[in-house]
Structures are given as structure tokens and as C-alpha cells.
Amino acid sequence: MPDYIFVAITYIPPQSNLTMLDSVLKQYNINETLEVQTLKGGLINSTWKLIGKNKQYILQKVNGDIFSSPTDIARNIKNIGDYLHLNYPNYFFVGLLPTINGDVVCNMPDNGSYRLFPFVIDSVTYSALNNPQLAYEAAVQFGRFANHLSRFPVESLHIPLPNFHDLSLRFTQFENILVSGNPERISEAAESIVFLKKHSDIVAVFEGIKQNPNFKIRVMHHDTKVNNVLFDKDNKGLCVIDLDTVMPGYFMSDVGDMMRTYLSPVSEEEKDFSLIEVREDYFKAILEGYLSEMKGELSTDELKHFVYAGKFLIYMQALRFLTDYLQNDTYYGSQYPGHNFIRANNQIVLLQKLIEKEAALQDLVRNY
Ligand code: GN1
Ligand code: MG
């Protein structure tokens, strides 16, 4: 068994985890001594960076409670990678490494599914942005991803999470939990609940979009938060990562999550809501970056809803965090009491700030 040096972790992994790591890495024929770092940032899967003498890897355990078929997801990633490689040979895509059996996912009996990526040496990620140029670079990356896949057969994709960004369904789930959820938490959240109900016009607009043929169903990433872009040492965008949720969807999913995570100087984890802001220069950077790749693809109706995309996604994330709080944190988990309540209220403040600036941002789109 190779040696593992664990760093940057908050607990010593039990022997059973080491044995599991050993068995997984055998499947990839990796025998060298590795430094293992636990990467935090994603809320769903577990992620480690493995540092060997010459090679570095990203190992992930897919959360099987949420993703029922890691193999189908791996197939999506492979099919997209093959398509991009064929049609855009210079496009930088981080694909999955095969096991010794040639599989792109490593299913361990009774212990879930793992997968391995090469680590992109010298790449960096950010959880919040302090420079609009980074927002521009990230938006170019997601725009390019969508543009290059605009002729990919969208219906051939496996749908990992059915109705994932169906705002109508998210709203119904929220309404249902107000009946069946934790009663103390429901009383505690009364103000937030009133706010979210008051803004259900955002759902009504979505209902209209579903009926409008000018909104195209596209290959969307569905998780364009800023830590899903790799940058190089000079802060140039390198590529997009975390392709679990790539599936058919509307442009608002990708543009909206960029707005949700690039506009404010602080992330969804921030407890001091006075620090939440909507920065116009960052909006301009997203607009210019995304449209530099997607302008020819978006319809007039879609373009008119560019600002709406932010409202759509931030509102949905607030619903999802609050719903989870009211259902005792069964989806996102919680690292301290009230964690998902804080996250939900953080997103509510962000939505308020966006609505305050809506007219000004709409002008920026009009004048683009
Ligand atoms: C989850 O696990 P992660 O960080 O990639 C979630 C996204 C949310 C995000 C909020 C499958 O993404 O939809 O926007 O948390 N992914 C899933 O941070 O639910
Ligand atoms: Mg994700």
C-alpha cells in the first residue's frame, strides 16, 4: 500500500477510508506516494487533490444520494469531450481518466462511485471575485462552452437531475414544505417566506418562457458559479469544470448563476449581509464576456431577459436553501446551526440588491 500524506484536513481519516483510497487508486494503476488534500467548495460531492512526484490528480466521490447514475454522468462528460475534441481540437477540456478496465467511472461495491481527473497544473479557482476582468474571462469560458455545443445533439444527453432548474417545481416544493416542514423553523423564517411569496412574479415570467418558442433548449452547464472556472497564473480563463449537471436547459441557468456568484464581492456563505452588493461593472463584464461568444446564438427575446436570468437563478437558490432549512437540511447539509437559513437570507438580500439596480442593468443590455 502506498503512503499517503494528509494535509489541510480537519480530521484524520479512518483506516477504512485509507483502504478505500488504496483500492480506488489501484483501479487507476497509481502506486506512488501521494499528498492528499481535501478540497472544500462544492456542496454535493467529495473532492480531493492528489499530489504525486510527477503527476497531480483530482479525485471525486460522487454523492450517490443526489446523482443516481454516476456512470451516465461520466458518459455525458465523455461524449461532450469527444464532440469538442473532434469539432474544436484547440478547445481545452478536462476529461476523465480511464481505469485499468477502460471505464470512466470507478464503482466500488457498497462504497459509491469515484472518478479521476488530471489536475491542471498552475490553475487557480476563486470563490468570489475582486476584479471585473476575472468575471469577463469566466463569462467568456461559459459562453464558449455553450457556443461550441450549440449544435451538439442536446436530446442525446442523459438528464442527471430531472427538473433541476424548473423554477415552477422549486416553488411548489417550497409551498409544500411550508405545510409539512419543521414548524419552529417555519415560524423563525416567517419574514423570508413572505418575501419569497411576494416575488412569485419571477415564477410567472418563467411559466411564460416555457411557452415561448424563442427560448431555445440548449446544452447548459447548470452550475456556472465562479469556482467552476479554472484560471491560469495570469488570470486568463482556462476552462470550465464540474460537468455533473450539464443537461438541456435555458440560457438563464448559466447566465443567472454567473450573476449570482460574480456580481457580489462576497459569496452565499457570507453572514454579514451589509457586504452584499450588485456591482455594475461586473454585470457589464458578464454581459460582454458571454455575448462575445453567444451573441449570434441568443434570440431577441432571450437577450431581453438577460437581467431576468439573474433574478431567476438567485430567487431559485434562495428557495432551494430555505426549503432545505425547513426540511432540516437534508439536501445541502449544515456546518453550523441555521446555516441554510443564513444562505437563504444572503440570497434574498442579493435578489433585493439586483432588483434595485434592474433598470440600470437593463440599460446596459439595451446599449450593448
Ligand atoms: C451545489 O456542489 P456544488 O457546489 O457544485 C448545487 C448547485 C447550487 C450550489 C450552491 C447538484 O453545487 O445547484 O447552485 O450547490 N448542485 C446540485 O452553492 O444541487
Ligand atoms: Mg456542481
Side-chain angles (χ1 to χ4, degrees):
M1 180 167 166
D3 298 325
Y4 300 115
I5 307 161
F6 280 81
V7 297
I9 53 172
T10 48
Y11 70 101
I12 303 296
Q15 189 57 36
S16 60
N17 283 8
L18 286 178
T19 314
M20 180 49 63
L21 183 60
D22 188 44
S23 320
V24 170
L25 293 183
K26 266 206 187 89
Q27 295 297 315
Y28 289 97
N29 205 15
I30 296 176
N31 299 307
E32 61 175 321
T33 297
L34 296 169
E35 179 183 317
V36 181
Q37 299 181 347
T38 303
L39 301 187
K40 304 245 155 70
L43 304 188
I44 305 294
N45 297 324
S46 309
T47 307
W48 302 273
K49 181 175 171 186
L50 312 178
I51 305 172
K53 207 153 163 265
N54 299 312
K55 286 192 175 158
Q56 302 188 11
Y57 307 91
I58 291 290
L59 177 72
Q60 281 196 308
K61 180 174 184 181
V62 184
N63 184 332
D65 292 334
I66 289 172
F67 294 111
S68 60
S69 181
T71 304
D72 284 326
I73 291 176
R75 251 180 231 140
N76 275 353
I77 297 175
K78 177 152 192 337
N79 291 342
I80 285 172
D82 289 350
Y83 178 91
L84 290 170
H85 185 66
L86 187 70
N87 292 285
Y88 302 92
N90 295 326
Y91 181 79
F92 184 48
F93 182 82
V94 185
L96 289 159
L97 294 170
T99 65
I100 43 178
N101 301 324
D103 299 326
V104 277
V105 66
C106 173
N107 293 313
M108 299 309 282
D110 302 325
N111 207 302
S113 300
Y114 294 76
R115 61 196 180 185
L116 194 70
F117 300 90
F119 177 80
V120 180
I121 304 287
D122 289 336
S123 64
V124 286
T125 56
Y126 298 96
S127 58
L129 296 181
N130 59 9
N131 176 350
Q133 188 57 29
L134 288 169
Y136 177 85
E137 287 288 324
V140 167
Q141 285 303 319
F142 284 113
R144 188 167 299 159
F145 183 75
N147 175 313
H148 284 5
L149 293 169
S150 55
R151 266 154 280 286
F152 181 92
V154 62
E155 63 294 334
S156 72
L157 285 172
H158 160 72
I159 298 184
L161 300 167
N163 309 313
F164 185 48
H165 278 187
D166 181 343
L167 185 60
S168 318
L169 179 78
R170 295 294 182 184
F171 190 74
T172 306
Q173 288 169 335
F174 166 68
E175 283 184 311
N176 290 344
I177 210 70
L178 297 180
V179 179
S180 63
N182 178 327
E184 276 123 57
R185 290 187 179 193
I186 293 172
S187 328
E188 182 194 8
E191 233 181 279
S192 314
I193 293 169
V194 168
F195 177 90
L196 289 174
K197 281 186 167 171
K198 208 174 115 201
H199 285 82
S200 63
D201 55 300
I202 297 173
V203 186
V205 173
F206 180 65
E207 305 280 337
I209 285 174
K210 285 194 283 188
Q211 304 303 323
N212 184 340
N214 297 326
F215 283 78
K216 196 174 157 194
I217 304 285
R218 307 168 180 281
V219 179
M220 286 286 112
H221 182 283
H222 283 99
D223 197 8
T224 59
K225 61 183 184 184
V226 66
N227 53 10
N228 282 334
V229 180
L230 298 187
F231 295 90
D232 70 13
K233 279 189 295 193
D234 303 320
N235 280 335
K236 290 273 168 239
L238 275 176
C239 63
V240 306
I241 56 170
D242 189 6
L243 305 183
D244 292 327
T245 50
V246 172
M247 62 183 135
Y250 293 111
F251 90 97
M252 294 99 67
S253 286
D254 282 9
V255 167
D257 216 21
M258 291 198 276
M259 289 172 65
R260 186 178 80 80
T261 59
Y262 310 176
L263 291 183
S264 176
V266 293
S267 80
E268 67 198 21
E269 299 295 339
E270 181 59 57
K271 297 175 201 155
D272 179 355
F273 299 159
S274 71
L275 300 176
I276 300 172
E277 237 188 283
V278 164
R279 301 172 294 183
E280 281 182 42
D281 48 343
Y282 285 72
F283 177 82
K284 209 160 168 262
I286 297 173
L287 180 72
E288 287 172 1
Y290 197 74
L291 292 187
S292 73
E293 294 284 337
M294 284 293 282
K295 185 153 182 23
E297 286 293 325
L298 294 184
S299 69
T300 311
D301 272 2
E302 287 174 317
L303 208 50
K304 275 189 195 153
H305 285 73
F306 203 91
V307 180
Y308 170 78
K311 286 168 58 179
F312 164 83
L313 213 295
I314 296 166
Y315 182 70
M316 179 156 59
Q317 195 62 54
L319 286 177
R320 291 178 65 194
F321 281 143
L322 191 58
T323 302
D324 199 37
Y325 183 61
L326 303 181
Q327 72 192 8
N328 297 327
D329 314 307
T330 49
Y331 188 87
Y332 285 114
S334 160
Q335 277 145 22
Y336 60 86
H339 195 166
N340 283 311
F341 190 37
I342 294 275
R343 286 168 168 157
N345 286 332
N346 168 308
Q347 299 292 286
I348 285 176
V349 172
L350 182 61
L351 179 58
Q352 280 169 322
K353 300 266 172 184
L354 179 62
I355 291 172
E356 280 166 24
K357 293 234 165 129
E358 197 172 352
L361 302 185
Q362 204 60 59
D363 280 345
L364 289 175
V365 179
R366 223 173 285 122
N367 297 330
Y368 174 78

